[in-house]
Structure formats: structure tokens, C-alpha cells
Amino acid sequence: MDSALAIADNGGTMPWTLADHLLADNWLIHARVNAPKSKRPKDHPRREDRNKAIRARRASRKVGTYERAKARNKALLAKRAHNN
């Protein structure tokens, strides 16, 4: 959890431990019970931010993968056209 690789992969902060996730779940239960119905939180704010960052990172990786596949397919088609 405290390795440089784990911290770099988590956007520069130490990843949450199991205890951190359990405490966030506990916080969420109490926040939902004690908050008025119109202002109930969806999740712990820090966990929401973390999940947004993870989704953004995954989306950018998907775009990169798509672009590489597109270039590879274009090169294959050009090679096939050249061979015919």
C-alpha cells in the first residue's frame, strides 16, 4: 500500500486500506441515517473523488487503446492493398 508504485498509480496519494473502506462505509451509514432525505450523501466524498479519478484514467487508456488499434488496422489495410 505504501510503495511508490501503488502511490503513483493512485494519483500521488496512498491507496485506501480495507480499514479505510470499512470506516467510509460506516460513515456513509451514519450520514444517511442522520441526514434529511433530500440531502443524503451517495458515498464518502473522498471515495467519490477517487472513483472519478479512476474512471477518468480508464477512459483515457481506452482512448489510447482505440487509437493504437485504429492505426494498426489502417497499416494492415495499407499493407494488404499494397500486396494486391
Side-chain angles (χ1 to χ4, degrees), residues 2 11 35 49 51-52 57 67 70:
D2 59 351
D49 294 342
N51 289 339
K52 285 179 188 176
R57 229 178 309 138
E67 292 298 328
K70 189 175 167 183

Side-chain angles (χ1 to χ4, degrees), residues 2 15-16 21-24 40 53 56 59 63 66 73 76:
D2 59 351
W16 280 20
H21 284 285
L22 292 173
L23 284 170
R40 287 187 180 163
V63 169
Y66 170 76
N73 289 339
L76 286 172

Side-chain angles (χ1 to χ4, degrees), residues 1-36:
M1 286 295 191
D2 59 351
S3 70
L5 182 60
I7 292 171
D9 192 44
N10 197 40
T13 59
M14 192 175 341
W16 280 20
T17 63
L18 176 61
D20 293 331
H21 284 285
L22 292 173
L23 284 170
D25 290 340
N26 191 22
W27 174 89
L28 182 60
I29 290 168
H30 288 287
R32 284 185 176 168
V33 167
N34 296 324

Side-chain angles (χ1 to χ4, degrees), residues 44-79:
H44 190 279
R46 187 169 169 203
R47 188 185 286 176
E48 285 180 8
D49 294 342
R50 181 181 147 271
N51 289 339
K52 285 179 188 176
I54 288 171
R55 282 192 297 274
R57 229 178 309 138
R58 285 180 183 161
S60 69
R61 287 180 189 163
K62 284 183 181 180
V63 169
T65 302
Y66 170 76
E67 292 298 328
R68 286 189 302 276
K70 189 175 167 183
R72 185 178 58 243
N73 289 339
K74 186 177 180 180
L76 286 172
L77 288 174
K79 186 177 179 180

